[in-house]
Amino acid sequence: MGDAGSFPGPTGKSAGPAMDRDEADRALARLGAEHEAIETSLLALQDHAGRRLLEGASLTGVTKDRWATTEQTITLLWSYFDAYTAALRSAREARARLRWLGQQDLVDLTEKLRGRSVTVAGSATAAPSIAGPAKLSEQFTLAELVARMNELYAQSLDMVVASDSVWSALPARIDLLAAELNRTRSLAHSAGVRPGEHPAGDELESITDELSTLRAQVISDPLAFWQPVHGSSAPGGGRPDTERYDRAARALEDVRREIDAVLTVRQDSEARLLRLRDVLSRADRTLTEARSARGEVLAKIAASEVPAVSGPPTALQERLSTAAEYRRHAQWHRLSPLLESLEREAEDELHRARESLTAVTAPLAVRAELRGRLDAYKAKVARHGLAEDLMLTERYDAARRMLWSAPCDLRVAEQAVLRYQRAAADALAQRQPGPTDHRGNA
């Protein structure tokens, strides 16, 4: 797509003192160069790809209104250019007829070049929105006419370039995203992600509708998706508004991640189900052990509160069976969230089962600790030659009977162990040599 360029700035001046021959010739040369540049720019605008697209498109909204105005503006530009061409031709012919210019000839030529010598018929300027209220005719200097054409040309080119920029940017990107959407939809179908059955399937339908609507609106009303740059005087200064496209692209990426997660479930679901069965089996065995231990504690430990043990995790087992059904029927979109919740709850169930076993067997652990402490002090007493001490023997036997009898009262047994410990500590203290014995030995 070529750039239509811009008109050169005006070169004429307001009518004043008559130009001399050299000034007139230089002015005609400059006006000729301006004429060529103006014609080149208008032809480039006429051949602009954006203008051709606008002519053939079924437009709506702001673009339809702007293009109706721009078409009138382009028609007016050519009328102005024709008037400019005629005035320049008249000036050139006047100069050519007179090899030697007299003073009056110079005055007349100056008027043609600098004065309001260009008349544009009212039919050409009858559009109030373009050139003000309708008039029978308008008078311009060549400089004023160039300035007017520059202004209208910039407005027309701005509209054409903005529309073409949107059409060049958004439809192609929308089509690429739509192609990606189709691939994602096929992948979703294979994973069982369908509208009405999975949120991602519903989202795919929503994205499809949005892209279809967006493309139609971009094609028919491109200027609705144009963000001009404030302060820029260059035609087409701005950029396409891609907010809706970007939002759809982000939504599609989210759906792709969801589908990837579903596909991952399809690949490793069997291993995850096996791990879940193992975790729930361990939890069940731990609860069975806790129930057995609770019976043992109630039989062997007296005056102790033993917590109740919950039953097997039947609800989780039923949900695990449901998960297996989902896998058999390839309902991956349903299996994915169910597996995630089951994995969390199964680990929690195993943790609770272990805590229950610990709580139930706590009295047995206390009894074992007291037995160990009693035997440790007996061994210590024996090492110091007090194994035959009558009082220590009696207190040891009393504590031992309590700890090895059933049911065992832990509170009473603990007091008996403490009495034996204190007696052993006192006996050992008496066996230690005093300060006098140390001096005597020295």
Side-chain angles (χ1 to χ4, degrees):
M1 181 183 67
D3 185 358
S6 61
F7 291 162
T11 60
K13 301 178 182 178
S14 59
M19 296 183 289
D20 58 27
R21 285 184 292 272
D22 290 339
E23 286 179 321
D25 289 340
R26 287 194 298 270
L28 283 169
R30 286 195 298 270
L31 288 169
E34 279 187 347
H35 179 274
E36 184 178 349
I38 292 170
E39 184 178 32
T40 299
S41 296
L42 284 175
L43 289 173
L45 176 61
Q46 193 72 13
D47 196 46
H48 196 288
R51 189 199 63 79
R52 293 198 302 271
L53 289 172
L54 285 164
E55 281 188 336
S58 298
L59 302 176
T60 60
V62 63
T63 307
K64 181 179 180 180
D65 296 339
R66 286 278 303 277
W67 176 237
T69 301
T70 300
E71 280 189 304
Q72 296 178 22
T73 300
I74 294 174
T75 300
L76 182 58
L77 273 169
W78 281 106
S79 297
Y80 283 159
F81 178 71
D82 290 342
Y84 182 84
T85 301
L88 179 59
R89 184 188 305 114
S90 175
R92 283 173 171 172
E93 289 173 351
R95 176 68 181 90
R97 284 195 303 269
L98 302 170
R99 181 176 179 83
W100 304 106
L101 294 173
Q103 186 60 32
Q104 185 57 45
D105 297 326
L106 289 173
V107 171
D108 293 342
L109 187 55
T110 299
E111 179 62 22
K112 287 180 179 292
L113 297 177
R114 292 182 178 174
R116 289 182 174 273
S117 60
V118 185
T119 300
V120 181
S123 60
T125 62
S129 62
I130 300 174
K135 299 178 182 179
L136 295 177
S137 64
E138 283 189 284
Q139 301 292 121
F140 298 96
T141 66
L142 288 173
E144 290 171 344
L145 192 56
V146 169
R148 176 67 64 83
M149 285 191 288
N150 272 328
E151 178 186 353
L152 298 181
Y153 175 82
Q155 294 173 7
S156 302
L157 185 61
D158 181 76
M159 188 271 172
V160 170
V161 170
S163 300
D164 188 54
S165 296
V166 173
W167 279 334
S168 297
L170 273 175
R173 296 174 69 181
I174 293 171
D175 290 343
L176 287 174
L177 190 62
E180 181 65 24
L181 176 64
N182 289 333
R183 289 191 291 271
T184 303
R185 186 186 292 108
S186 298
L187 196 63
H189 185 80
S190 69
V193 177
R194 299 178 177 86
E197 298 181 5
H198 193 281
D202 297 333
E203 184 66 16
L204 280 175
E205 289 299 301
S206 176
I207 296 170
T208 301
D209 293 341
E210 169 63 4
L211 287 183
S212 178
T213 301
L214 178 61
R215 194 182 193 285
Q217 291 175 350
V218 166
I219 294 300
S220 66
D221 191 10
L223 292 185
F225 298 87
W226 181 252
Q227 291 183 332
V229 175
H230 298 294
S232 173
S233 59
R239 64 178 182 84
D241 181 1
T242 62
E243 180 181 354
R244 286 175 60 184
Y245 167 85
D246 294 337
R247 189 163 56 245
R250 290 193 297 269
L252 181 58
E253 181 60 28
D254 291 340
V255 171
R256 280 186 56 83
R257 284 196 290 268
E258 177 66 22
I259 294 172
D260 287 342
V262 171
L263 292 174
T264 300
V265 170
R266 182 173 67 179
Q267 293 170 358
D268 61 9
S269 59
E270 183 177 6
R272 291 172 70 180
L273 285 171
L274 288 174
R275 285 195 297 270
L276 274 170
R277 291 190 182 97
D278 179 64
V279 171
L280 291 179
S281 177
R282 281 186 286 158
D284 191 21
R285 291 196 301 271
T286 302
L287 289 175
T288 300
E289 184 180 353
R291 285 190 291 273
S292 176
R294 186 172 188 272
E296 181 182 357
V297 169
L298 291 175
K300 294 182 178 180
I301 307 297
S304 178
E305 294 183 1
V306 184
V309 179
S310 63
T314 55
L316 289 180
Q317 292 289 356
E318 291 173 359
R319 292 174 64 198
L320 184 59
S321 298
T322 301
E325 284 294 316
Y326 285 162
R327 183 179 182 278
R328 277 193 294 272
H329 294 90
Q331 294 179 316
W332 312 113
H333 59 291
R334 294 181 177 177
L335 180 59
S336 176
L338 180 57
L339 280 180
E340 290 179 3
S341 63
L342 276 174
E343 286 167 341
R344 290 192 301 269
E345 294 174 28
E347 289 294 335
D348 291 342
E349 184 64 29
L350 179 58
H351 181 68
R352 283 192 295 270
R354 288 169 173 169
E355 287 185 333
S356 180
L357 178 60
T358 300
V360 164
T361 57
L364 293 178
V366 171
R367 187 185 67 173
E369 190 274 333
L370 289 174
R371 285 177 173 180
R373 197 193 315 170
L374 182 66
D375 289 342
Y377 266 88
K378 180 183 178 183
K380 184 176 182 180
V381 165
R383 285 197 304 272
H384 288 81
L386 296 174
E388 303 301 326
D389 186 285
L390 183 60
M391 181 190 67
L392 292 179
T393 300
E394 290 177 353
R395 292 194 177 185
Y396 171 80
D397 290 341
R400 192 178 190 286
R401 280 194 303 272
M402 293 180 186
L403 287 173
W404 267 266
S405 63
C408 171
D409 190 327
L410 288 178
R411 287 184 288 271
V412 175
E414 184 178 15
Q415 292 301 318
V417 172
L418 288 175
R419 284 195 298 272
Y420 176 69
Q421 286 182 234
R422 286 194 290 269
D426 292 341
L428 291 173
Q430 292 174 7
R431 296 281 295 178
Q432 296 296 328
T436 303
D437 295 332
H438 283 299
R439 286 194 299 269
N441 292 336

